[in-house]
Amino acid sequence: MKAVRFHEYGTPDVLRYEDVEQPLPAAGEVRIRVAATSFNPVDGNIRAGFMQGPIPVPLPHTPGIDVAGTVDALGEGADRVRAGDQVVGFLPMTGPGAAAEYVLAPAALLTAAPASIPLADAGGLPLVGLTAWQALFDHAKLTAGQRVRVERTLGIPRPT
């Protein structure tokens, strides 16, 4: 299979598109045929080597902590999903990422992909969704029954 990996820390120039072995799921894991991943600032910081202390990764490393795709194979005990399920998830930051044709993921970290958007678009949801959840519930302390208004701005100043 093909994967994007880096063998040394540095600028985006260290990324290589190369052949790697297709992974096999261990107990509790599933293999996902990747439809999409995204590259977030944390991916860039890992690639640049800025996160070697808190997020050590073995080299070579495949980036992409967000994943959307279709479950392809199941490891023993991975019973939360079935082959053919479309899923999204936030992969462990210290393991191989989803910038590949296939990636392994703990089944417990996956959820059903939203049916309302194309699977490839769902690849950008996990990290930003987790960030929004943390902002609302961990930091703003939102509780049951409360409401939040979300506005979209285009960067155009409003008249005052």
Side-chain angles (χ1 to χ4, degrees):
M1 71 170 199
K2 292 288 191 181
V4 173
R5 303 193 309 169
F6 57 90
H7 295 256
E8 61 187 321
Y9 297 109
T11 67
D13 294 339
V14 300
L15 295 170
R16 301 286 177 259
Y17 185 62
E18 55 194 23
D19 291 310
V20 298
E21 288 191 34
Q22 189 177 62
L24 297 173
E29 292 182 328
V30 300
R31 184 174 62 205
I32 300 168
R33 172 121 174 94
V34 176
T37 189
S38 60
F39 292 101
N40 297 292
V42 70
D43 291 297
N45 286 329
I46 291 170
R47 187 212 62 245
F50 302 143
M51 304 298 286
Q52 292 179 57
I55 308 173
V57 296
L59 298 178
H61 178 70
T62 303
I65 54 178
D66 288 338
V67 66
T70 304
V71 174
D72 169 73
L74 305 170
E76 185 177 332
D79 53 9
R80 292 192 57 198
V81 295
R82 296 185 317 230
D85 285 354
Q86 292 187 337
V87 296
V88 295
F90 182 76
L91 299 173
M93 288 193 232
T94 56
E101 292 180 280
Y102 294 88
V103 68
L104 298 179
L109 298 183
L110 302 173
T111 192
S116 59
I117 62 172
L119 186 59
D121 291 345
L125 293 176
L127 180 62
V128 297
L130 176 60
T131 301
W133 176 271
Q134 289 171 332
L136 292 171
F137 297 100
D138 294 346
H139 299 288
K141 307 294 185 202
L142 190 67
T143 60
Q146 290 183 303
R147 297 171 64 163
V148 173
R149 179 177 170 164
V150 178
E151 292 188 15
R152 180 177 165 226
T153 63
L154 301 174
I156 302 169
R158 293 182 178 202
T160 55

